[in-house]
Structure formats: C-alpha cells, structure tokens
Amino acid sequence: MKRFLLSAFAAWCLVVMPAAAREAAPLAEDPVVEQRLIRISEDIRCLVCQNESLAGSRADLANDLRREIRKLIHEGKTDAEITDFLVSRYGDFVLYRPPVKPLTWVLWFGPFLLVVAGVVFLVAYLRRRQQTHAASAAPGLSDDERRRAQALLDATDPRP
C-alpha cells in the first residue's frame, strides 16, 4: 500500500508540477534599460545580504532598490548620478569599492595593518622565547669535564 501511494505521489509530481510552472516574466520592457540596471547594480552592495550584490540579491529591499534604479534610468539620470543618489541615501557602505578617503581608511588599510601587527607580535614573541631558552640552557662542559664524563661512560660500558 505504501509503495502504491509513493508511486501515485511521484506520478502526480511528474504530471501536475510541470503544468503549474510558468515562464519567467521579463524584468523590464526595454532590454537596454535592464542591461544598464544590471551593470549599475553589480557595483552596489545589498543592504540586507551585505555580501551579495544588488543584482544577485532576492531580498525585498533589493527589489525595491532595483525598481528605484529603473525609475531613475527612465528619468534620464546617468550611471554616476544614480550611484551618487544611492551613496547620499545609504552612505559609502553601499558601494562594493568605496572611495579612499579618511572615513574609509579602516576599510582599505585595516586588514594590512592587522597582518603587519600580527607579524611584529610573532617576531617579538619568538625572539623573547629564544632569549629565554638561551638564558636557561645549561652552560657547555669544559674540556676537563668532557674527558671525565667520557671516562665514566667508558668505565660503565658493558661492551667488550
């Protein structure tokens, strides 16, 4: 009985589901506008996802921003004007490549400073560790002590 129900469900999925599928609606009436929208939105960060471009995001806010960009394109705004509008509204964070200015220095140079600080710390730690080990190491044997130690080892050696 279970096998019959499972096969009936599988047949229903194969017959009914493709019939319910529809072709994707075009995103814009004008393909030139759509290409321009994609080009602009690839350089804009999704404010919800933050690790995804506006072009690839499916968040509701991303859909609203794409709609806003389409409206600005239809109004005759240039790409730079549209980007400036988004930056004035959401700040430099919205750009995938924020400009280099004092407010974004941490974004641009922070990772390099962290790596340099890590290397400096590691070098200082290793030098301090090496000096500690060198200071605590036993002093070397004198020639006389070495001869006496060898004589003791030879005297206790069980080999003929």
Side-chain angles (χ1 to χ4, degrees):
M1 180 68 174
K2 287 182 184 180
R3 188 171 289 192
F4 173 74
L5 289 175
L6 184 62
S7 61
F9 178 72
W12 178 78
C13 286
L14 290 173
V15 172
V16 175
M17 297 302 256
R22 293 179 290 168
E23 189 172 319
L27 295 174
E29 310 83 42
D30 187 3
V32 173
V33 170
E34 193 59 29
Q35 287 300 318
R36 192 166 160 211
L37 167 74
I38 291 170
R39 188 174 56 250
I40 294 170
S41 62
E42 283 176 344
D43 292 334
I44 305 295
R45 181 187 316 274
C46 174
L47 297 171
V48 176
C49 308
Q50 296 184 2
N51 63 343
E52 203 172 348
S53 74
L54 191 63
S57 175
R58 295 292 159 224
D60 289 338
L61 180 61
N63 290 332
D64 292 343
L65 286 175
R66 283 192 293 270
R67 200 171 314 129
E68 184 72 24
I69 291 172
R70 278 190 195 98
K71 186 180 100 179
L72 292 172
I73 290 171
H74 284 297
E75 290 176 4
K77 304 280 185 184
T78 66
D79 293 0
E81 289 173 333
I82 294 170
T83 303
D84 290 342
F85 169 77
L86 292 171
V87 168
S88 69
R89 198 169 194 190
Y90 301 106
D92 287 328
F93 177 75
V94 77
L95 300 174
Y96 258 123
R97 289 178 222 97
V100 179
K101 58 185 186 181
L103 288 175
T104 60
W105 283 353
V106 173
L107 292 173
W108 284 102
F109 306 116
F112 299 112
L113 292 175
L114 285 175
V115 168
V116 168
V119 168
V120 167
F121 173 77
L122 181 66
V123 167
Y125 172 75
L126 291 176
R127 281 187 180 170
R128 195 173 331 118
R129 184 174 159 197
Q130 185 179 21
Q131 289 172 353
T132 304
H133 285 307
S136 66
L141 298 176
S142 66
D143 289 336
D144 185 44
E145 292 170 330
R146 214 177 264 118
R147 272 186 255 122
R148 284 192 330 202
Q150 188 62 44
L152 286 173
L153 287 173
D154 289 343
T156 59
D157 190 10
R159 289 181 283 165

